[in-house]
Each structure stands twice: as C-alpha cells, then as structure tokens.
Amino acid sequence: MRARFRGRRRSSAALYPAKHNDAFTLDREVTPEKINLNYNNFYEFSTNKHLSADTLKTRPWTVKIDGLVEKEQTLGIDDLIKSIGLEERLYRHRCVEAWSMAIPWTGFPLRALVEKAKPLASAKFVRFETFLDKKMAPGQKTFSPWPYVEGVTMAEATNDLAFMVTGAYGKPVAKVQGAPLRLALPWKYGFKSIKSIVKISFVDKRPETFWQALGPDEYGFWANVNPDVAHPRWSQAKETELTTGNLRPTLLFNGYGAQVADLYKGLDKEPLYM
C-alpha cells in the first residue's frame, strides 16, 4: 500500500487551515511558531532542543491499526486525514522538564480513530509506536529501546481532549513537531504525546512505554501533570513559559482537571504522576 503514495503530492495539504473549534480556549498567549520550531525534544534525531529533523521522510507514510480489532488495517496518512476531517484546537503543552508552550494544533479527536478501528470489547489499552529507521534518524543509533512506544487506557483514548495532530499554526505539522501524525494529550507531560506514529495497536495489557523502560524510577505510565509531585531531580511546582520566559504556577492536570479527573477515580494506589 505504501507504493501507491510514492512521489504523490500531499493531497491533504489543501485542508489547511482547518476550522477553529471555539470550545478549546487558552489562559495565555499562543507560543510563537518560531519558538515552537526551535525548542523541541525529538530524540530520534538529536538530544539538542534546537534540532533538525530534515531527514524525516513523511511521504509515503502509512499507519497500521492492529491488535484487538475487528479487522486490521493499513491506512495511508492522506486517506486517513481526509476520511475523518480536521479541526484546530488551542492546547497548553507542559513538558516534564518544567517548561510549557501553548500551541494551535490541527487534527482530529483520537476517539474518531478508535471508532474507525472498531476495537473488540477485550481491548483495554491503546499502544502507539513510532518509526524505526536508523539511517534516517541518527538518534536511533544511540540509546535504546527504539522504537518509541507510548500507551493510554481506552478511557483516556476516548476522552474528548485526546487529539491526533496532523498540523500546527494553520498548516501541516512540521517535521520537528512529529510529522505527519503525532498525539496530543494536554493533561499529561509532553513525553506521552508520541511523534511520527506508524502503528496503533489495541491490546489487553498495559504497554511498557519507552521512558518507562529507560527510567522506571523517573517516568511511569500515567504522567499526569501535578505540581505537588516532584520529579526525582526537580520540582514540578512551577514551569517556565517559553512565550514570555516567566515562571508560572503549574496547574493540576495542566488545567484540564474538569475534563479528565474522573478518569482516575478508584486508582488511589497508582502512581498517577510518574
């Protein structure tokens, strides 16, 4: 299926800019695009935040949907985008490193993709996987375990805030931002928002994620933003807002508690903020 996209123009580019969804507002200014594009974590390419991901080849690009679903599918990215449609949302973004941005993402609710996948009742989690190509991404020659893997519960995946990103700032998402398809979970630390997704699996067991495997004492499965629970090496009580450079208090669930707090009832013994 990948072959029929080879050499073809991005047919989804004409869908930008998408209609703005007024239900998603901010309490701060949108971070200028120049700052966003020049301050990123994308370890597949570099540990330097002022990185280049120019070698990332975003076409052809397919996304495999498998696991506990009625029927496995492999979808070309442009066909996927056009089949669901796009909208723009303004989201806060909080990194576990205690800095933050505010970004105008374009994409579609993860819930819509879940519906398209038709998972079985036995599916309890959604597992995401990025590409593995050491020739294209020099960072994958360094530390492991590549490829990058993330996961959420089915309840988190179908929450209205969970968003599949295909664009930003009114145009297709840039390579350094995780083109052509990434996740945005604004109530969680940014490392949960996996970039450059090639595979989405519906599973019955909690996936082991990339940072869990690398640093289980520092990074857990949930990673919900909480100012009262410090990272082992620094406080999470405040964050540096990259738009202004000012410190501001960190908000529980990054300010999205009204939409997501109910997801974690009955999980008092879980380390929800690791």
Side-chain angles (χ1 to χ4, degrees):
M1 186 165 184
R2 295 180 72 95
R4 72 186 182 95
F5 290 91
R6 193 175 302 280
R8 199 168 90 181
R9 183 178 177 272
R10 287 196 217 180
S11 58
S12 61
L15 301 177
Y16 302 87
K19 184 178 179 180
H20 180 71
N21 188 330
D22 293 330
F24 300 90
T25 59
L26 291 171
D27 60 348
R28 61 199 71 179
E29 294 296 318
V30 167
T31 301
E33 183 179 15
K34 184 177 180 180
I35 293 176
N36 188 306
L37 294 179
N38 287 281
Y39 202 85
N40 278 281
N41 288 324
F42 203 165
Y43 291 127
E44 284 87 342
F45 294 93
S46 175
T47 56
N48 187 333
K49 283 184 170 52
H50 308 287
L51 60 90
S52 171
D54 289 346
T55 55
L56 177 62
K57 297 177 181 178
T58 62
R59 297 298 188 282
W61 193 278
T62 57
V63 180
K64 184 176 182 179
I65 299 173
D66 66 5
L68 300 172
V69 293
E70 288 186 9
K71 183 180 180 181
E72 293 187 357
Q73 307 176 57
T74 300
L75 304 171
I77 184 62
D78 294 299
D79 288 342
L80 174 62
I81 291 171
K82 289 190 294 182
S83 70
I84 296 180
L86 300 176
E87 62 181 74
E88 182 184 68
R89 297 182 178 187
L90 304 181
Y91 273 178
R92 292 184 290 277
H93 178 86
R94 174 60 156 82
C95 182
V96 73
E97 298 169 344
W99 52 263
S100 63
M101 296 187 188
I103 306 170
W105 294 125
T106 301
F108 53 86
L110 174 53
R111 180 184 62 249
L113 191 146
V114 172
E115 293 171 356
K116 191 177 188 70
K118 297 181 180 179
L120 304 179
S122 53
K124 306 301 181 186
F125 298 89
V126 186
R127 180 187 183 274
F128 301 88
E129 184 175 312
T130 192
F131 67 89
L132 179 61
D133 188 332
K134 294 182 180 181
K135 291 182 179 179
M136 182 174 73
Q140 291 184 332
K141 296 177 183 178
T142 56
F143 54 89
S144 58
W146 301 109
Y148 201 104
V149 170
E150 261 304 338
V152 295
T153 66
M154 287 292 292
E156 290 174 323
T158 54
N159 182 274
D160 192 43
L161 282 176
F163 200 56
M164 299 300 293
V165 170
T166 64
Y169 296 93
K171 53 194 172 187
V173 67
K175 292 181 178 182
V176 294
Q177 296 169 314
L181 183 68
R182 65 166 288 167
L183 185 60
L185 302 169
W187 71 98
K188 294 179 177 288
Y189 291 118
F191 67 85
K192 293 291 293 185
S193 295
I194 183 172
K195 297 179 176 181
S196 301
I197 297 166
V198 298
K199 186 177 179 182
I200 301 171
S201 304
F202 292 81
V203 297
D204 58 359
K205 293 181 175 59
R206 185 186 297 183
E208 183 180 52
T209 63
F210 180 84
W211 284 109
Q212 258 188 304
L214 276 178
D217 295 334
E218 297 191 5
Y219 306 100
F221 176 80
W222 299 99
N224 294 321
V225 176
N226 188 340
D228 298 325
V229 179
H231 184 279
R233 289 182 280 137
W234 56 80
S235 170
Q236 296 289 14
K238 293 184 179 181
E239 62 198 51
T240 300
E241 186 182 6
L242 294 186
T243 304
T244 63
N246 296 331
L247 279 176
R248 65 185 302 147
T250 297
L251 302 174
L252 181 62
F253 294 115
N254 204 21
Y256 295 101
Q259 295 100 316
V260 301
D262 285 350
L263 297 175
Y264 308 104
K265 287 184 176 179
L267 296 176
D268 298 337
K269 296 182 180 179
E270 287 276 347
L272 295 174
Y273 311 104
M274 288 184 60

